Amino acid sequence: MKGVEKAREEVVNFAHIVSREGLCFSTWGNLSCRPEKDRTVITPSGIPYEDLQPADMIVLNLDGVVEEGRWKPSTELPLHLEIYKAREDVKAIIHTHSKYATAFAVARREIAPATEEMAQLFGGSVPAAEYAFPGSQELAVHASRALGKSGFAVLLANHGTVCVGASLAEALLRARVIERSAEILLWSTLLGDPFLLSNGETSKLRDLFLKHYGQEE
Ligand SMILES: [Zn+2]
């Protein structure tokens, strides 16, 4: 269970970061990771981020059966389980209520690639999933469907975002870039019609990111 113990600490550390950065607030939003194929560690329901400790995390299997934990898991547990079941590559999920991205979720409009970091990281738009009630299985199915087999994030209509990754660090970077891109798009709309990046330019930026970003080996 060493992986699970480390996962408890990681989820708490990242929960504190998303709260500090305003991506989530009060008790809204939630995080999880999957340290083992059939095991997930998720934040509890209704406890403020700043109070969270590793011992507060809930450990469950992918059928939702609690193995460890004294609290109720996040009410969005079905969302996390549905995505993990559909996507073996996903090892971490961060569900935020960040402001600017939620503005797009309220308008039920995708966030198009308008900045180079958005194009590099996502290689396209972040879609808006169909509306469903928070915490419902229907919401979980809509989100998982909109995410598809290779998506990195979706907007939940009138609600927030869901970002996935091979690690919590990857999911967090996506949550940050989505929020930043949503803010920039909104401001640029005030200045006139924003110029979005074409599909061709977006693909080139994505390739650049995948092949050449970072330090040379
Ligand atoms: Zn939520």
Side-chain angles (χ1 to χ4, degrees), residues 1-215:
M1 293 291 271
K2 193 160 175 281
V4 171
E5 295 315 308
K6 190 166 164 259
R8 285 173 182 274
E9 284 178 24
E10 268 190 3
V11 173
V12 170
N13 289 341
F14 280 85
H16 289 161
I17 294 170
V18 297
S19 170
R20 217 166 40 231
E21 295 187 5
L23 297 168
C24 291
F25 70 101
S26 185
T27 61
W28 280 280
N30 35 70
L31 299 84
S32 73
C33 72
R34 169 155 72 173
E36 295 167 15
K37 194 167 182 281
D38 185 37
R39 189 160 281 126
T40 175
V41 175
I42 190 166
T43 45
S45 175
I47 298 182
Y49 282 92
E50 54 272 25
D51 297 337
L52 287 177
Q53 301 289 329
D56 298 320
M57 299 301 106
I58 322 296
V59 182
L60 315 102
N61 68 21
L62 288 199
D63 292 324
V65 177
V66 174
E67 296 177 346
E68 294 172 23
R70 57 188 160 141
W71 307 114
K72 275 196 299 183
S74 161
T75 52
E76 294 296 359
L77 177 64
L79 170 72
H80 292 249
L81 295 179
E82 191 69 24
I83 293 171
Y84 284 132
K85 283 186 208 162
R87 291 275 299 271
E88 252 189 59
D89 59 311
V90 171
K91 303 282 192 277
I93 300 172
I94 299 181
H95 163 47
T96 79
H97 283 210
S98 61
K99 271 190 294 190
Y100 292 101
T102 303
F104 278 80
V106 168
R108 302 190 187 180
R109 275 177 47 179
E110 64 177 25
I111 302 176
T115 59
E116 67 149 0
E117 67 265 22
M118 178 85 185
Q120 287 186 3
L121 212 58
F122 289 89
S125 300
V126 170
E130 253 183 89
Y131 178 80
F133 202 72
S136 65
Q137 182 60 29
E138 194 186 10
L139 178 116
V141 169
H142 287 176
S144 180
R145 191 180 296 148
L147 195 60
K149 288 292 168 204
S150 56
F152 302 130
V154 290
L155 303 175
L156 303 179
N158 302 76
H159 186 159
T161 81
V162 181
C163 301
V164 305
S167 64
L168 280 161
E170 204 170 78
L172 174 64
L173 180 60
R174 287 174 179 152
R176 285 171 170 158
V177 168
I178 286 179
E179 180 62 0
R180 184 180 152 78
S181 301
E183 181 177 2
I184 290 168
L185 258 180
L186 278 173
W187 284 114
S188 65
T189 304
L190 282 184
L191 297 171
D193 273 341
F195 290 90
L196 301 178
L197 293 165
S198 67
N199 289 344
E201 203 58 37
T202 298
S203 297
K204 276 194 325 205
L205 284 161
R206 178 70 181 151
D207 280 352
L208 177 80
F209 179 78
L210 291 175
K211 290 178 191 151
H212 303 298
Y213 200 66
Q215 303 294 318

